[in-house]
Amino acid sequence: MKKLFLSISAILLMYTALFAQQPNKLTSNEIFEKVQKLNFLGTALYIAAHPDDENTRLIAYLANEVKARTAYLSLTRGDGGQNLIGPEIRELLGVIRTQELLAARRVDGGEQMFTRANDFGYSKHPDETLQIWNKEEVLSDVVWAIRIFKPDVIINRFNHRTPGTTHGHHTSSAMLSVEAFDLVNDNTKFSDQLKYTQVWQPKRLFFNTSSWFYRDKDKFAEASKNFTKFDVGVYYPLKGLSNNELASLASSQHLCQGFGRLTTRGSQTEYVEFLKGDAPKDKSDIFSGINTTWNRVKNGGEVGDILYDIEENFDFTNPAKHLPKLLEAYSLITKLENEHWKKIKTAEIKEIIEACLGLYIEASAVSATAVPNSTIDVNFEVINRSDIPVELTSITSNKTNKKYFKGISLAKNKKENFKEQISLKGANYSDPYWLRNEASLGMYAVEDRTLIGKPETPREITVDFNMIVNYVPISFTKNVIRRYSKRDKGEIYEPFEIVPRVTTKLKDKVLIFSDSVAKKVEVEVRAGANFTSGTMQLDVPKEWMVSPSEIPFNIAQKNDKQVVVFTVVPPKNQSEGNLKVIANSQGEKFTKELIEINYNHIPKQIVLKNSEAKIVRLNIKKKGTNIGYIKGAGDAVPESLQQIGYNVIAIKPSEINTKNLQQFDAIVLGIRAYNVVNDLKFKQKFLLEYVKNGGNLIVQYNTNRGVDVQAPYQLKLSRDRVTDEFAEVTILDPNNSLLNFPNKITDADFKGWVQERGLYFPDIWSEQYTPLLSMKDKGETPKLGSLLIAKYGEGNYIYTGLSFFRELPAGVSGAYKLFANMLSVGKE
């Protein structure tokens, strides 16, 4: 009986932080699973709208039990959501969620794709969604994804027939999928794509339904008799995990959305409803009637004869035994006429050959970053840990195609190290490709057609290791990476990045001038290379003044920083505009800020954004000075309040007590504080005591999922929200002091808001509360719960679902005035 070697620790380690960039080192079990996958020629595409919409149970089942090539097409990158782990929102949040999806796919075995659709926030109807997105462009991207991926079956996560019953993005994803199914094989539709790919026709389209969509178990039970269904709770002995455990680990990668969860086990049925195409004859197999064998492709039978035999007689103790036959199959695959399957299966079998050889090949740069048109020192490591003869004939850099001849015979388990200089001539920056051009509200702008759909920017610098393995020429392509160690973390792998020679950073992205007094504005300059010098200047609107006109900088060491200080003088009257930083060095202008995103569960990311800030001359008044802030899920409200002169002090939950709260003129709870700070339920008595004794407590929005905000009077949260940032706002109590002191709030203060008005408004409250504002989305009833105030003892309790966490960082003047009034209540 074959011995199966399983290292569960190795499987679990790949989900952890330090190993996010580590090369994939396959165990014998994993090699065998790769062989099984190599022998299945079927493809499935799962389509939905956002990161976290995907059914990881079904994706894991298709990828690991069925062995199908499986991908998730997420129409957006989740840019419009909230972030539970940090302050990043909008496009930076989209970068995090992109990487979390890739982390999930590394676990469940799927691949990841996207369209250019920008997640502009919650939408209540697909009509609105498709208008903002630009329906034709997103539809073209769905068609493009299908033509590129060439799925046999497509599975929609949502129901295209029920517009208005769920998020408009959800329904839109299904509607576009259904429409694309009928277009992808028509060469008159989106014909510009055919320069790069061919038309394609999937065999069938499904809807991944469940009792949730029916809201009635009896109706679902009756309808499900006609559905295709299968048990996705299967157990994988080779992994030591069930499919549900694997799926749980995958979905737990969505940490910025709070999706970390317990693993689950046991039988579970998934249902898919047939929508279009050829119906499967076997209702337990979505690939029923589709040829998924090697006979699917011309001359594939000969390949199959070799590979099926390897699968049947796989040697778990010595996978290298199969190398001669694997190399024979590899040679046949490279000669196949079917370019699509040839490309896919060539990549798959090369990975298996590499693993069977015990081959470790690496190109590690001596630094994690470099600038375009420079040269870098790269350390190479190559080792063959099999008995099969291997010769490294040469290495080739992708940027210059320069070939470095080696002629090294790789003796068994003898490590070969050498160093070369690699040119970065013509290299582009390593930032996310979809952020390089200015986006619209609904769409990202991508000029290069071949990049559309890709989850991330392809690595700029790669190296081909050209070898002869058992007399068969074969090359393996590797990204240049950076490998190093830290005493407290061990070995670390990071992406190698191409960055600008000069980047700059403004401390604040919004500069609020509450009077005509000048402010010092600090600009941090960072060098991407040694001996970097030049000048800095600020570009400000016409009515603003800045001095000096330019400041020189001189930085000797790469990655070192220098701070320069300008004086900015605002106009006397209210004004808004953008302040832009321009650096000049060696005849080039540099206008970007380098942002690093570094969380443990995803690879380190860099983003290049315009180095600029919104500047606002605002006639604003305020009362009080010291503000206590209890952090919730993460926002930039404290920094925003500091901009208008408040002294904001962070309060740790452990520090909440009667004595400590007395020092504050007001206390603010960050967004979703009751959702994420468990200790608050034990500290609420102190907060309410603070209010009762004359304090001012402001509670920002929380989701309504099983949360008790423990307000002084009855207050029930709902899912009510107003998603139209232009929605008309009606002032209900114009004489209320909150709307008059110290700033008069008018209709004009609700102009220029971004993304939304607010979310998760209360819909039930006791008579002690006074609702101050009314607003609604088109076709809906007015929502009165966006801003509530109640007197409690000597103080004031305020609950608001208004999206200040978006408006203040965006420099919305009216939002600043309204927040200053909330902080000033009771201080007339």
Side-chain angles (χ1 to χ4, degrees):
M1 187 177 179
K2 299 183 183 81
K3 257 189 179 178
L4 304 184
F5 291 91
L6 174 65
S7 173
I8 294 179
S9 61
I11 294 174
L12 295 178
L13 277 175
M14 76 178 182
Y15 309 143
T16 63
L18 299 180
F19 298 86
Q21 285 293 301
Q22 194 177 78
N24 200 8
K25 303 167 187 174
L26 302 179
T27 65
S28 293
N29 289 8
E30 290 168 327
I31 295 172
F32 176 67
E33 289 178 312
K34 295 285 186 184
V35 172
Q36 291 180 307
K37 204 170 187 72
L38 183 65
N39 282 334
F40 190 91
L41 279 70
T43 308
L45 181 63
Y46 198 88
I47 298 180
H50 309 109
D52 85 353
D53 284 345
E54 81 273 26
N55 184 341
T56 53
R57 293 186 302 272
L58 186 49
I59 290 174
Y61 177 84
L62 292 171
N64 295 277
E65 175 66 13
V66 179
K67 305 300 180 185
R69 184 182 181 220
T70 309
Y72 172 42
L73 173 61
S74 177
L75 268 58
T76 77
R77 297 176 185 266
D79 326 70
Q82 286 86 52
N83 184 0
L84 288 181
I85 61 175
E88 296 89 356
I89 58 175
R90 290 302 309 149
E91 62 269 26
L92 297 182
L93 178 59
V95 172
I96 293 173
R97 291 190 172 182
T98 294
Q99 291 300 318
E100 288 183 338
L101 274 174
L102 287 170
R105 299 294 80 79
R106 284 192 290 270
V107 176
D108 61 30
E111 300 175 38
Q112 186 60 52
M113 304 176 76
F114 292 96
T115 74
R116 291 170 292 169
N118 190 346
D119 180 0
F120 55 84
Y122 193 87
S123 175
K124 295 180 177 178
H125 200 280
D127 289 349
E128 176 197 38
T129 298
L130 295 174
Q131 182 179 16
I132 294 175
W133 271 356
N134 186 327
K135 178 188 172 182
E136 279 302 295
E137 289 189 6
V138 183
L139 177 61
S140 77
D141 287 359
V142 176
V143 170
W144 168 257
I146 296 171
R147 286 174 174 174
I148 290 292
F149 194 67
K150 295 182 170 33
D152 298 303
V153 297
I154 295 175
I155 305 173
N156 291 342
R157 182 55 171 142
F158 298 104
N159 192 344
H160 66 288
R161 298 159 295 198
T162 55
T165 61
T166 182
H167 198 319
H169 297 183
H170 292 169
T171 311
S172 296
S173 70
M175 292 169 64
L176 291 170
S177 174
V178 171
E179 188 170 350
F181 186 88
D182 295 327
L183 297 179
V184 291
N185 201 32
D186 186 343
N187 59 16
T188 67
K189 305 297 183 183
F190 308 113
S191 56
D192 60 304
Q193 299 177 2
L194 302 182
K195 300 174 185 175
Y196 310 97
T197 188
Q198 306 81 37
V199 294
W200 178 254
Q201 184 57 59
K203 297 294 184 183
R204 53 192 65 132
L205 174 67
F206 297 97
F207 161 43
N208 182 198
T209 188
S210 69
S211 59
W212 185 89
F213 289 97
Y214 280 74
R215 310 296 172 94
D216 184 307
K217 289 185 178 180
D218 292 335
K219 287 183 179 179
F220 177 72
E222 182 62 29
S224 65
K225 294 177 181 178
N226 298 315
F227 296 161
T228 298
K229 58 184 178 181
F230 30 81
D231 182 2
V232 296
V234 294
Y235 176 69
Y236 302 126
L238 294 178
K239 298 180 186 295
L241 297 167
S242 69
N243 188 74
N244 286 344
E245 288 174 299
L246 204 62
S248 298
L249 289 168
S251 61
S252 287
Q253 304 306 306
H254 297 299
L255 293 184
C256 75
Q257 302 187 69
F259 265 49
R261 60 190 178 99
L262 291 171
T263 56
T264 58
R265 287 153 288 279
S267 177
Q268 187 168 30
T269 303
E270 281 291 338
Y271 299 87
V272 292
E273 177 188 356
F274 173 74
L275 298 178
K276 280 178 175 284
D278 300 325
K281 295 183 175 64
D282 181 353
K283 288 193 176 182
S284 65
D285 180 9
I286 62 173
F287 286 96
S288 173
I290 299 173
N291 187 355
T292 58
T293 71
W294 275 103
N295 288 321
R296 176 174 188 159
V297 296
K298 184 179 178 181
N299 300 324
E302 190 176 356
V303 179
D305 289 342
I306 299 170
L307 295 179
Y308 293 135
D309 182 69
I310 292 175
E311 180 180 346
E312 180 68 25
N313 300 287
F314 189 78
D315 190 336
F316 287 86
T317 61
N318 183 25
K321 164 186 170 182
H322 303 293
L323 278 165
K325 286 295 184 181
L326 285 168
L327 289 163
E328 183 181 345
Y330 164 75
S331 297
L332 292 171
I333 290 172
T334 60
K335 297 172 185 174
L336 291 175
E337 294 180 17
N338 187 309
E339 291 296 328
H340 174 70
W341 284 113
K342 179 169 74 172
K343 180 180 178 181
I344 294 167
K345 296 303 175 182
T346 297
E348 290 180 1
I349 198 169
K350 282 171 68 173
E351 184 182 15
I352 293 169
I353 291 169
E354 181 181 350
C356 288
L357 285 167
L359 191 63
Y360 184 86
I361 46 182
E362 176 185 277
S364 176
V366 298
S367 174
T369 63
V371 300
N373 301 317
S374 62
T375 58
I376 55 168
D377 290 327
V378 179
N379 294 313
F380 291 86
E381 179 181 333
V382 187
I383 185 170
N384 166 32
R385 289 169 284 194
S386 74
D387 292 318
I388 300 294
V390 179
E391 180 186 355
L392 175 64
T393 59
S394 63
I395 60 172
T396 309
S397 165
N398 70 315
K399 277 301 166 189
T400 61
N401 288 322
K402 180 179 179 181
K403 188 169 285 189
Y404 302 81
F405 292 96
K406 294 299 172 186
I408 301 173
S409 180
L410 301 178
K412 181 179 180 180
N413 213 29
K414 182 184 177 184
K415 183 173 64 173
E416 298 288 346
N417 292 99
F418 53 91
K419 181 182 287 188
E420 297 289 352
Q421 277 199 334
I422 302 293
S423 170
L424 304 183
K425 184 177 181 180
N428 296 310
Y429 298 142
S430 303
D431 56 327
Y433 71 86
W434 63 95
L435 299 180
R436 288 173 177 168
N437 299 312
E438 186 175 353
S440 67
L441 175 63
M443 296 294 296
Y444 284 114
V446 180
E447 295 176 351
D448 186 344
R449 156 60 63 186
T450 62
L451 288 176
I452 294 174
K454 293 185 183 297
E456 57 185 343
T457 306
R459 290 285 113 190
E460 271 295 305
I461 310 300
T462 63
V463 174
D464 290 340
F465 291 78
N466 307 308
M467 299 183 173
I468 297 177
V469 179
N470 206 28
Y471 309 107
V472 176
I474 187 170
S475 66
F476 300 96
T477 302
K478 298 294 177 183
N479 297 325
V480 173
I481 51 91
R482 166 65 171 153
R483 180 170 68 99
Y484 63 101
S485 66
K486 285 189 174 182
R487 289 177 180 268
D488 59 338
K489 291 185 178 179
E491 188 174 56
I492 299 172
Y493 288 79
E494 286 184 354
F496 172 73
E497 312 283 15
I498 309 296
V499 300
R501 186 185 309 113
V502 181
T503 52
T504 60
K505 180 181 179 181
L506 289 158
K507 178 183 176 183
D508 298 303
K509 300 303 181 285
V510 176
L511 297 167
I512 304 293
F513 293 74
S514 57
D515 50 37
S516 58
V517 177
K519 280 189 178 183
K520 300 291 185 183
V521 176
E522 293 185 355
V523 182
E524 181 184 273
V525 192
R526 175 174 174 168
N530 291 333
F531 307 111
T532 298
S533 61
T535 59
M536 297 285 305
Q537 63 188 78
L538 299 184
D539 181 23
V540 294
K542 183 178 180 181
E543 63 270 23
W544 296 67
M545 293 187 294
V546 60
S547 65
S549 59
E550 66 177 28
I551 300 176
F553 63 89
N554 195 334
I555 305 174
Q557 290 183 305
K558 175 182 176 179
N559 292 328
D560 197 5
K561 301 169 185 177
Q562 180 180 333
V563 175
V564 299
V565 181
F566 294 88
T567 299
V568 176
V569 181
K572 292 182 178 180
N573 299 319
Q574 191 157 313
S575 172
E576 293 186 8
N578 287 324
L579 177 151
K580 300 178 181 180
V581 183
I582 302 171
N584 299 281
S585 179
Q586 297 184 16
E588 285 188 73
K589 284 188 175 182
F590 297 90
T591 60
K592 297 293 184 180
E593 175 187 356
L594 175 65
I595 300 169
E596 291 185 352
I597 300 175
N598 200 0
Y599 289 100
N600 285 339
H601 65 301
I602 58 174
K604 184 178 178 181
Q605 301 293 301
I606 68 160
V607 180
L608 296 175
K609 290 185 66 178
N610 290 334
S611 185
E612 60 185 29
K614 185 173 182 179
I615 49 176
V616 181
R617 168 65 173 95
L618 176 63
N619 293 318
I620 188 171
K621 300 173 184 177
K622 64 184 183 64
K623 288 290 184 179
T625 302
N626 293 321
I627 306 300
Y629 203 90
I630 301 171
K631 185 179 178 181
D635 57 62
V637 171
E639 295 85 348
S640 300
L641 297 180
Q642 288 170 347
Q643 280 285 325
I644 55 174
Y646 283 108
N647 178 34
V648 183
I649 301 171
I651 305 174
K652 296 178 181 178
S654 60
E655 297 171 348
I656 299 175
N657 57 62
T658 300
K659 183 178 179 180
N660 194 36
L661 301 183
Q662 291 174 355
Q663 62 181 303
F664 299 112
D665 297 308
I667 294 174
V668 182
L669 269 66
I671 61 171
R672 299 180 72 169
Y674 290 106
N675 295 125
V676 300
V677 184
N678 291 329
D679 286 351
L680 274 183
K681 60 187 174 184
F682 306 114
K683 301 293 185 176
Q684 188 69 5
K685 57 186 177 183
F686 298 113
L687 293 172
L688 293 182
E689 181 184 22
Y690 165 80
V691 179
K692 198 170 187 178
N693 292 334
N696 191 5
L697 180 66
I698 299 168
V699 180
Q700 297 183 86
Y701 98 94
N702 289 265
T703 64
N704 67 335
R705 298 171 190 166
V707 66
D708 180 9
V709 298
Q710 300 182 48
Y713 311 110
Q714 183 189 18
L715 184 71
K716 184 177 179 181
L717 305 184
S718 72
R719 295 183 63 85
D720 286 351
R721 63 202 301 161
V722 176
T723 62
D724 183 359
E725 64 268 38
F726 306 108
E728 182 180 354
V729 177
T730 301
I731 295 175
L732 299 175
D733 187 4
N735 296 321
N736 193 285
S737 63
L738 192 152
L739 300 175
N740 290 277
F741 177 82
N743 305 286
K744 177 69 175 177
I745 302 300
T746 68
D747 293 343
D749 292 307
F750 295 97
K751 293 181 179 178
W753 284 50
V754 299
Q755 185 159 324
E756 62 201 352
R757 289 296 189 195
L759 61 172
Y760 291 99
F761 299 161
D763 63 347
I764 296 175
W765 55 83
S766 66
E767 61 182 10
Q768 287 88 348
Y769 295 95
T770 300
L772 301 180
L773 304 173
S774 172
M775 56 191 71
K776 67 183 181 70
D777 280 322
K778 183 179 179 181
E780 295 192 353
T781 58
K783 303 296 183 287
L784 309 182
S786 64
L787 181 58
L788 303 173
I789 183 171
K791 193 74 176 175
Y792 182 64
E794 299 299 317
N796 294 278
Y797 179 92
I798 299 170
Y799 189 93
T800 179
L802 294 171
S803 58
F804 287 106
F805 73 102
R806 296 195 191 281
E807 312 312 321
L808 299 185
V812 178
S813 302
Y816 274 93
K817 290 170 64 179
L818 184 54
F819 212 104
N821 279 18
M822 292 193 300
L823 294 170
S824 304
V825 164
K827 298 178 175 60
E828 294 90 337

PDB file of all heavy atoms in Angstrom, residues 655-673:
ATOM      1  N   GLU A 655      -8.839  52.220  29.826  1.00  0.00           N
ATOM      2  CA  GLU A 655      -8.695  53.497  30.532  1.00  0.00           C
ATOM      3  C   GLU A 655     -10.035  54.198  30.770  1.00  0.00           C
ATOM      4  O   GLU A 655     -10.074  55.305  31.289  1.00  0.00           O
ATOM      5  CB  GLU A 655      -7.781  54.422  29.736  1.00  0.00           C
ATOM      6  CG  GLU A 655      -6.356  53.894  29.571  1.00  0.00           C
ATOM      7  CD  GLU A 655      -5.530  54.728  28.604  1.00  0.00           C
ATOM      8  OE1 GLU A 655      -6.135  55.571  27.892  1.00  0.00           O
ATOM      9  OE2 GLU A 655      -4.314  54.531  28.537  1.00  0.00           O
ATOM     10  N   ILE A 656     -11.120  53.560  30.356  1.00  0.00           N
ATOM     11  CA  ILE A 656     -12.432  54.189  30.518  1.00  0.00           C
ATOM     12  C   ILE A 656     -12.896  54.023  31.965  1.00  0.00           C
ATOM     13  O   ILE A 656     -13.233  52.918  32.407  1.00  0.00           O
ATOM     14  CB  ILE A 656     -13.467  53.569  29.550  1.00  0.00           C
ATOM     15  CG1 ILE A 656     -13.025  53.783  28.092  1.00  0.00           C
ATOM     16  CG2 ILE A 656     -14.848  54.176  29.774  1.00  0.00           C
ATOM     17  CD1 ILE A 656     -13.916  53.103  27.077  1.00  0.00           C
ATOM     18  N   ASN A 657     -12.891  55.118  32.698  1.00  0.00           N
ATOM     19  CA  ASN A 657     -13.398  55.111  34.066  1.00  0.00           C
ATOM     20  C   ASN A 657     -13.864  56.515  34.413  1.00  0.00           C
ATOM     21  O   ASN A 657     -13.605  57.472  33.669  1.00  0.00           O
ATOM     22  CB  ASN A 657     -12.337  54.621  35.066  1.00  0.00           C
ATOM     23  CG  ASN A 657     -11.059  55.446  35.012  1.00  0.00           C
ATOM     24  OD1 ASN A 657     -11.080  56.656  35.278  1.00  0.00           O
ATOM     25  ND2 ASN A 657      -9.945  54.811  34.663  1.00  0.00           N
ATOM     26  N   THR A 658     -14.522  56.650  35.531  1.00  0.00           N
ATOM     27  CA  THR A 658     -15.132  57.931  35.907  1.00  0.00           C
ATOM     28  C   THR A 658     -14.107  59.052  35.961  1.00  0.00           C
ATOM     29  O   THR A 658     -14.301  60.145  35.398  1.00  0.00           O
ATOM     30  CB  THR A 658     -15.828  57.800  37.267  1.00  0.00           C
ATOM     31  OG1 THR A 658     -16.840  56.796  37.165  1.00  0.00           O
ATOM     32  CG2 THR A 658     -16.462  59.119  37.679  1.00  0.00           C
ATOM     33  N   LYS A 659     -12.989  58.815  36.579  1.00  0.00           N
ATOM     34  CA  LYS A 659     -11.989  59.856  36.770  1.00  0.00           C
ATOM     35  C   LYS A 659     -11.343  60.266  35.452  1.00  0.00           C
ATOM     36  O   LYS A 659     -11.167  61.455  35.164  1.00  0.00           O
ATOM     37  CB  LYS A 659     -10.930  59.382  37.759  1.00  0.00           C
ATOM     38  CG  LYS A 659      -9.881  60.431  38.080  1.00  0.00           C
ATOM     39  CD  LYS A 659      -8.882  59.907  39.106  1.00  0.00           C
ATOM     40  CE  LYS A 659      -7.819  60.960  39.416  1.00  0.00           C
ATOM     41  NZ  LYS A 659      -6.824  60.458  40.413  1.00  0.00           N
ATOM     42  N   ASN A 660     -11.009  59.295  34.624  1.00  0.00           N
ATOM     43  CA  ASN A 660     -10.268  59.575  33.393  1.00  0.00           C
ATOM     44  C   ASN A 660     -11.099  60.340  32.370  1.00  0.00           C
ATOM     45  O   ASN A 660     -10.569  61.081  31.547  1.00  0.00           O
ATOM     46  CB  ASN A 660      -9.753  58.267  32.782  1.00  0.00           C
ATOM     47  CG  ASN A 660      -8.698  58.491  31.715  1.00  0.00           C
ATOM     48  OD1 ASN A 660      -7.886  59.409  31.827  1.00  0.00           O
ATOM     49  ND2 ASN A 660      -8.706  57.673  30.688  1.00  0.00           N
ATOM     50  N   LEU A 661     -12.426  60.162  32.400  1.00  0.00           N
ATOM     51  CA  LEU A 661     -13.287  60.811  31.407  1.00  0.00           C
ATOM     52  C   LEU A 661     -13.576  62.268  31.716  1.00  0.00           C
ATOM     53  O   LEU A 661     -14.009  63.019  30.841  1.00  0.00           O
ATOM     54  CB  LEU A 661     -14.606  60.038  31.270  1.00  0.00           C
ATOM     55  CG  LEU A 661     -14.511  58.566  30.843  1.00  0.00           C
ATOM     56  CD1 LEU A 661     -15.902  57.979  30.677  1.00  0.00           C
ATOM     57  CD2 LEU A 661     -13.708  58.408  29.552  1.00  0.00           C
ATOM     58  N   GLN A 662     -13.335  62.681  32.947  1.00  0.00           N
ATOM     59  CA  GLN A 662     -13.698  64.033  33.362  1.00  0.00           C
ATOM     60  C   GLN A 662     -12.925  65.114  32.623  1.00  0.00           C
ATOM     61  O   GLN A 662     -13.377  66.259  32.533  1.00  0.00           O
ATOM     62  CB  GLN A 662     -13.486  64.178  34.867  1.00  0.00           C
ATOM     63  CG  GLN A 662     -14.459  63.361  35.717  1.00  0.00           C
ATOM     64  CD  GLN A 662     -14.124  63.424  37.195  1.00  0.00           C
ATOM     65  OE1 GLN A 662     -13.103  63.999  37.594  1.00  0.00           O
ATOM     66  NE2 GLN A 662     -14.987  62.842  38.021  1.00  0.00           N
ATOM     67  N   GLN A 663     -11.758  64.784  32.076  1.00  0.00           N
ATOM     68  CA  GLN A 663     -10.899  65.791  31.447  1.00  0.00           C
ATOM     69  C   GLN A 663     -11.392  66.231  30.066  1.00  0.00           C
ATOM     70  O   GLN A 663     -10.890  67.209  29.510  1.00  0.00           O
ATOM     71  CB  GLN A 663      -9.484  65.233  31.310  1.00  0.00           C
ATOM     72  CG  GLN A 663      -9.404  63.983  30.423  1.00  0.00           C
ATOM     73  CD  GLN A 663      -8.026  63.407  30.302  1.00  0.00           C
ATOM     74  OE1 GLN A 663      -7.092  64.114  29.887  1.00  0.00           O
ATOM     75  NE2 GLN A 663      -7.858  62.136  30.661  1.00  0.00           N
ATOM     76  N   PHE A 664     -12.381  65.529  29.509  1.00  0.00           N
ATOM     77  CA  PHE A 664     -12.744  65.768  28.116  1.00  0.00           C
ATOM     78  C   PHE A 664     -13.971  66.658  27.969  1.00  0.00           C
ATOM     79  O   PHE A 664     -14.962  66.503  28.693  1.00  0.00           O
ATOM     80  CB  PHE A 664     -12.984  64.438  27.396  1.00  0.00           C
ATOM     81  CG  PHE A 664     -11.780  63.543  27.374  1.00  0.00           C
ATOM     82  CD1 PHE A 664     -11.759  62.349  28.086  1.00  0.00           C
ATOM     83  CD2 PHE A 664     -10.650  63.908  26.661  1.00  0.00           C
ATOM     84  CE1 PHE A 664     -10.652  61.533  28.076  1.00  0.00           C
ATOM     85  CE2 PHE A 664      -9.530  63.096  26.643  1.00  0.00           C
ATOM     86  CZ  PHE A 664      -9.525  61.912  27.357  1.00  0.00           C
ATOM     87  N   ASP A 665     -13.896  67.566  27.001  1.00  0.00           N
ATOM     88  CA  ASP A 665     -15.038  68.407  26.663  1.00  0.00           C
ATOM     89  C   ASP A 665     -16.103  67.620  25.899  1.00  0.00           C
ATOM     90  O   ASP A 665     -17.272  67.987  25.891  1.00  0.00           O
ATOM     91  CB  ASP A 665     -14.581  69.598  25.819  1.00  0.00           C
ATOM     92  CG  ASP A 665     -13.633  70.503  26.588  1.00  0.00           C
ATOM     93  OD1 ASP A 665     -13.995  70.911  27.708  1.00  0.00           O
ATOM     94  OD2 ASP A 665     -12.529  70.783  26.091  1.00  0.00           O
ATOM     95  N   ALA A 666     -15.663  66.574  25.216  1.00  0.00           N
ATOM     96  CA  ALA A 666     -16.584  65.671  24.522  1.00  0.00           C
ATOM     97  C   ALA A 666     -15.845  64.361  24.287  1.00  0.00           C
ATOM     98  O   ALA A 666     -14.614  64.324  24.246  1.00  0.00           O
ATOM     99  CB  ALA A 666     -17.054  66.265  23.198  1.00  0.00           C
ATOM    100  N   ILE A 667     -16.623  63.299  24.120  1.00  0.00           N
ATOM    101  CA  ILE A 667     -16.056  61.982  23.817  1.00  0.00           C
ATOM    102  C   ILE A 667     -16.734  61.461  22.562  1.00  0.00           C
ATOM    103  O   ILE A 667     -17.957  61.554  22.407  1.00  0.00           O
ATOM    104  CB  ILE A 667     -16.259  61.005  24.994  1.00  0.00           C
ATOM    105  CG1 ILE A 667     -15.442  61.469  26.204  1.00  0.00           C
ATOM    106  CG2 ILE A 667     -15.854  59.582  24.598  1.00  0.00           C
ATOM    107  CD1 ILE A 667     -15.704  60.655  27.448  1.00  0.00           C
ATOM    108  N   VAL A 668     -15.920  60.925  21.650  1.00  0.00           N
ATOM    109  CA  VAL A 668     -16.419  60.414  20.371  1.00  0.00           C
ATOM    110  C   VAL A 668     -16.070  58.933  20.271  1.00  0.00           C
ATOM    111  O   VAL A 668     -14.935  58.538  20.553  1.00  0.00           O
ATOM    112  CB  VAL A 668     -15.808  61.177  19.182  1.00  0.00           C
ATOM    113  CG1 VAL A 668     -16.380  60.650  17.868  1.00  0.00           C
ATOM    114  CG2 VAL A 668     -16.048  62.672  19.319  1.00  0.00           C
ATOM    115  N   LEU A 669     -17.033  58.119  19.855  1.00  0.00           N
ATOM    116  CA  LEU A 669     -16.781  56.714  19.565  1.00  0.00           C
ATOM    117  C   LEU A 669     -16.568  56.555  18.070  1.00  0.00           C
ATOM    118  O   LEU A 669     -17.376  57.025  17.261  1.00  0.00           O
ATOM    119  CB  LEU A 669     -17.943  55.829  20.023  1.00  0.00           C
ATOM    120  CG  LEU A 669     -17.841  55.286  21.456  1.00  0.00           C
ATOM    121  CD1 LEU A 669     -17.927  56.415  22.464  1.00  0.00           C
ATOM    122  CD2 LEU A 669     -18.919  54.242  21.720  1.00  0.00           C
ATOM    123  N   GLY A 670     -15.465  55.897  17.696  1.00  0.00           N
ATOM    124  CA  GLY A 670     -15.156  55.669  16.286  1.00  0.00           C
ATOM    125  C   GLY A 670     -16.175  54.750  15.639  1.00  0.00           C
ATOM    126  O   GLY A 670     -17.000  54.107  16.298  1.00  0.00           O
ATOM    127  N   ILE A 671     -16.110  54.664  14.325  1.00  0.00           N
ATOM    128  CA  ILE A 671     -17.081  53.866  13.582  1.00  0.00           C
ATOM    129  C   ILE A 671     -17.019  52.399  14.017  1.00  0.00           C
ATOM    130  O   ILE A 671     -15.964  51.850  14.280  1.00  0.00           O
ATOM    131  CB  ILE A 671     -16.881  53.988  12.065  1.00  0.00           C
ATOM    132  CG1 ILE A 671     -15.497  53.491  11.632  1.00  0.00           C
ATOM    133  CG2 ILE A 671     -17.083  55.425  11.605  1.00  0.00           C
ATOM    134  CD1 ILE A 671     -15.325  53.389  10.135  1.00  0.00           C
ATOM    135  N   ARG A 672     -18.164  51.804  14.144  1.00  0.00           N
ATOM    136  CA  ARG A 672     -18.347  50.384  14.464  1.00  0.00           C
ATOM    137  C   ARG A 672     -17.671  49.994  15.776  1.00  0.00           C
ATOM    138  O   ARG A 672     -17.261  48.853  15.953  1.00  0.00           O
ATOM    139  CB  ARG A 672     -17.832  49.521  13.307  1.00  0.00           C
ATOM    140  CG  ARG A 672     -18.568  49.783  12.014  1.00  0.00           C
ATOM    141  CD  ARG A 672     -18.092  48.957  10.848  1.00  0.00           C
ATOM    142  NE  ARG A 672     -18.504  47.557  10.995  1.00  0.00           N
ATOM    143  CZ  ARG A 672     -18.396  46.655  10.017  1.00  0.00           C
ATOM    144  NH1 ARG A 672     -17.883  47.020   8.853  1.00  0.00           N
ATOM    145  NH2 ARG A 672     -18.768  45.415  10.203  1.00  0.00           N
ATOM    146  N   ALA A 673     -17.564  50.955  16.685  1.00  0.00           N
ATOM    147  CA  ALA A 673     -16.884  50.670  17.952  1.00  0.00           C
ATOM    148  C   ALA A 673     -17.562  49.534  18.704  1.00  0.00           C
ATOM    149  O   ALA A 673     -16.895  48.647  19.250  1.00  0.00           O
ATOM    150  CB  ALA A 673     -16.830  51.932  18.813  1.00  0.00           C
TER     151      ALA A 673
END
